Each structure stands twice: as C-alpha cells, then as structure tokens.
Amino acid sequence: MRLGITHETHYDYTPQVETAQHMAHLRPLETATQKLISHRLSISPEVAQQGETRDVFGNTRAFFSLQTPHDELRVQAHSVVDTSTPPQPGLEAADSLPWEQVRERFRYRAGGRYDPAAEFVFPSVYVPRHDDFVSYARASFGTGVSLLAGAQSLMERIHTDFTYESNSTEINTPAVEALAQKKGVCQDFAHIMIACLRGLGLPARYVSGYLLTSPPPGQERLVGSDASHAWVAVYSPGEDGMRGQWFDFDPTNRRSPGEDYVTLALGRDFADVSPMRGVIHGGAHHILKVAVTVEPLEIQ
C-alpha cells in the first residue's frame, strides 16, 4: 500500500522567541515491510542551520536552529511510503518460547552472549519499574505460556479494561497513574504494556507512527484530522541463540499492525522518539497545533 503522510506542527509564541534549537523525529523508517519513497521537511521561518543524524536506535533525527526573532514556527513533514503487512503473531504465538525461557535469556551473566534486544529490558523515562505492572501482567503470563500468546492476551486485556479518552492524561502523566485510572490515550496504553512486559524481564520497545483511518460513510477524508499513533513491539528470540524477531501489538485497537500502519521511529519510550522538541530563548507562552493527514495514494 502506498501512503502519503503530512505532519504539520505549528507554534504561536508570546512574546517572541529570540533564538531556538529543535530536534525532530519526522522521517519514517526504512524496514523490511516499509520503503520510504520520498521525504521533505519544510520549516518557516528560514533556519540558520539544518542537518540530519542517525540515533542509536536507527532513527533519523533532524536538527535545525533559528537565530532571528520569531513569533511562530511551522514545520511540515511530507512523506510517501510503501508498506506491506509485517509478520503476524498468529500461528507463531503457540510456537514461540515460553515466556520464562525468554526472561532467562535476558538475565545478566558474565561472559554471556549479547543480544541488542537487551537494551529494551531496562526501565526508562516513561516506563519505570513498579509492582503494579507486574501484578497486572501476571494474569496473562501463567506458567509455561508462550511469549507471544502472553503478549496477545495482555494486549487484549488492556484494550478491554481501559477506556480511550482524549485529554485524560498529559505527556508527562506517569504510566502507573494511567494504569490506576484505567484510561488514557495510545501513548499511555503503549507505555503500560511495555512496563508490564519489562517488569517480567521481557524486551519490549515503543513504536511511534501513523495509522490510516477511514472517514465515516458518505463523508470525505478531512485534511489534518488524523493523529500520530503509538504501539508496542515484543522481541521473540530465536532458537539456540539465533537472532530473533520483533512482533508488533497495538493495545489501543486490539490488533496487529498491518499495511495501514506507518512506522516513524523506535525507542525505549516516548522520550526517545518525540516528534518535536527544542530549547528556546524567549516565548514564555505558546499555543501548539498539530495536524496529521494520512491518505492512500495510487502507485504510478
């Protein structure tokens, strides 16, 4: 499927910002199931410096600075990607290793073989250790349950037990607080699921991206009406120390992401992949508006 994505970020500042430096994760990844056809970043006002670099997780980060006073900032990312359906944790769920064996694979042992997925076992900024996460996860991970079957169960329980409610949390709302109130948005559900998995010693990472949505019957697709999305990837190691595979789970929609999903960036949690962040001098108050459009395109 070919998808076009427009992600626009608009800041209004009061008073003016004198100087600013920003970092953006807005360039979709190249993966085995996703090919980046084109990407363009448009910034207004004109930047003094701009560049790109690769982070430790393989994401492309854009850096730019503004050295003249400005009372607004507009950043538009235009991308076109070709997607295909990733591996689905269906029949594989029963064939994956029991979760206890996966946990043992990632226990530290001096001189043991290193697996890069170990980076995603430890707590992070938005995904701390807490006994409440382990308690919630236990119902899905009984003795001998396969890793992917347990992850599937956990995803379904989060979808059933929690209420999706816009504005019920903030970016910095602790995941354990969202767990307690049983409501939040996709970011919260992803952080909760990751915290549950890591609490059991299992590697899990945060995936940011987009989801193609369908307009109501009889209505046209509205420009800017879509939103960024977030889900979870769980690592299933291979047999006898062979490199394993990541499987995606979307607890917000209780499904495995397909070709209608676009992967933007991967990290330990939202802090690693925030679409826009920066340091500014001035602009004590601001109004932020974000508009996202995801639309299917015809392949020429």
Side-chain angles (χ1 to χ4, degrees), residues 4 11 14 30 52 55 61 67-68 86 96 103 105 115 118 127 150 156 235 239 245 273 278 285 287 297:
Y11 284 95
T14 306
E30 292 264 9
E52 288 186 340
D55 69 15
R61 301 177 295 186
Q67 303 299 327
T68 55
S96 63
R103 178 191 59 195
R105 289 273 191 99
D115 189 320
V127 184
E156 293 176 352
Y235 184 72
E239 296 285 348
Q245 192 170 15
V273 299
H285 304 283
I287 297 174
L297 303 176

Side-chain angles (χ1 to χ4, degrees), residues 220-287:
E220 294 184 0
R221 181 178 300 279
L222 298 178
V223 174
S225 64
D226 296 312
S228 298
H229 195 45
W231 59 96
V232 178
V234 179
Y235 184 72
S236 180
E239 296 285 348
D240 300 323
M242 298 295 290
R243 186 168 293 255
Q245 192 170 15
W246 290 94
F247 290 89
D248 289 1
F249 295 84
D250 180 1
T252 302
N253 294 295
R254 199 180 65 180
R255 57 166 292 193
S256 297
E259 63 178 359
D260 50 343
Y261 283 65
V262 175
T263 298
L264 188 58
L266 308 169
R268 292 164 298 181
D269 59 31
F270 177 79
D272 288 332
V273 299
S274 174
M276 279 277 296
R277 65 176 58 180
V279 177
I280 62 175
H281 177 210
H285 304 283
H286 72 266
I287 297 174

Side-chain angles (χ1 to χ4, degrees), residues 3-299:
L3 297 173
I5 306 102
T6 301
H7 186 144
E8 180 174 331
T9 306
H10 184 210
Y11 284 95
D12 275 314
Y13 299 110
T14 306
Q16 285 187 324
V17 170
E18 300 298 324
T19 60
Q21 297 186 46
H22 293 277
M23 179 176 73
H25 283 97
L26 291 169
R27 183 187 184 96
L29 279 172
E30 292 264 9
T31 71
T33 58
Q34 180 172 292
K35 180 180 180 181
L36 181 62
I37 305 301
S38 65
H39 174 75
R40 184 177 78 259
L41 197 63
S42 303
I43 304 170
S44 177
E46 185 175 351
V47 301
Q49 293 180 312
Q50 184 175 352
E52 288 186 340
T53 187
R54 191 71 61 87
D55 69 15
V56 296
F57 304 113
N59 308 306
T60 298
R61 301 177 295 186
F63 293 90
F64 59 91
S65 65
L66 300 100
Q67 303 299 327
T68 55
H70 53 283
D71 54 20
E72 68 173 346
L73 171 64
R74 190 182 300 273
V75 179
Q76 284 188 327
H78 304 275
S79 306
V80 176
V81 298
D82 283 346
T83 64
S84 57
T85 302
Q88 303 294 311
L91 294 177
E92 296 91 343
D95 298 331
S96 63
L97 293 173
W99 73 270
E100 299 97 333
Q101 288 189 31
V102 177
R103 178 191 59 195
E104 291 304 311
R105 289 273 191 99
F106 288 94
R107 287 191 188 277
Y108 174 76
R109 294 180 178 82
R113 178 179 298 182
Y114 173 72
D115 189 320
E119 300 288 343
F120 299 96
V121 175
F122 301 102
S124 54
V125 175
Y126 288 104
V127 184
R129 296 283 193 206
H130 199 286
D131 289 343
D132 288 355
F133 294 121
V134 177
S135 297
Y136 185 79
R138 286 294 185 189
S140 295
F141 289 88
T143 303
V145 172
S146 72
L147 170 69
L148 295 181
Q152 180 80 19
S153 168
L154 178 61
M155 175 191 71
E156 293 176 352
R157 288 175 52 229
I158 291 173
H159 178 83
T160 300
D161 294 347
F162 290 71
T163 300
Y164 185 95
E165 186 174 315
S166 300
N167 303 317
S168 60
T169 57
E170 303 290 340
I171 290 294
N172 58 353
T173 298
V176 70
E177 183 178 318
L179 175 70
Q181 68 183 20
K182 293 290 193 296
K183 61 183 177 181
V185 295
C186 59
Q187 174 186 297
D188 300 301
F189 298 167
H191 283 152
I192 289 168
M193 184 169 176
I194 292 169
C196 289
L197 291 162
R198 290 185 191 166
L200 297 176
L202 306 172
R205 66 189 183 189
Y206 185 95
V207 187
S208 71
Y210 309 103
L211 169 61
L212 175 66
T213 58
S214 300
Q219 296 186 24
E220 294 184 0
R221 181 178 300 279
L222 298 178
V223 174
S225 64
D226 296 312
S228 298
H229 195 45
W231 59 96
V232 178
V234 179
Y235 184 72
S236 180
E239 296 285 348
D240 300 323
M242 298 295 290
R243 186 168 293 255
Q245 192 170 15
W246 290 94
F247 290 89
D248 289 1
F249 295 84
D250 180 1
T252 302
N253 294 295
R254 199 180 65 180
R255 57 166 292 193
S256 297
E259 63 178 359
D260 50 343
Y261 283 65
V262 175
T263 298
L264 188 58
L266 308 169
R268 292 164 298 181
D269 59 31
F270 177 79
D272 288 332
V273 299
S274 174
M276 279 277 296
R277 65 176 58 180
V279 177
I280 62 175
H281 177 210
H285 304 283
H286 72 266
I287 297 174
L288 170 63
K289 296 179 181 179
V290 178
V292 176
T293 302
V294 182
E295 56 186 343
L297 303 176
E298 290 187 6
I299 298 178

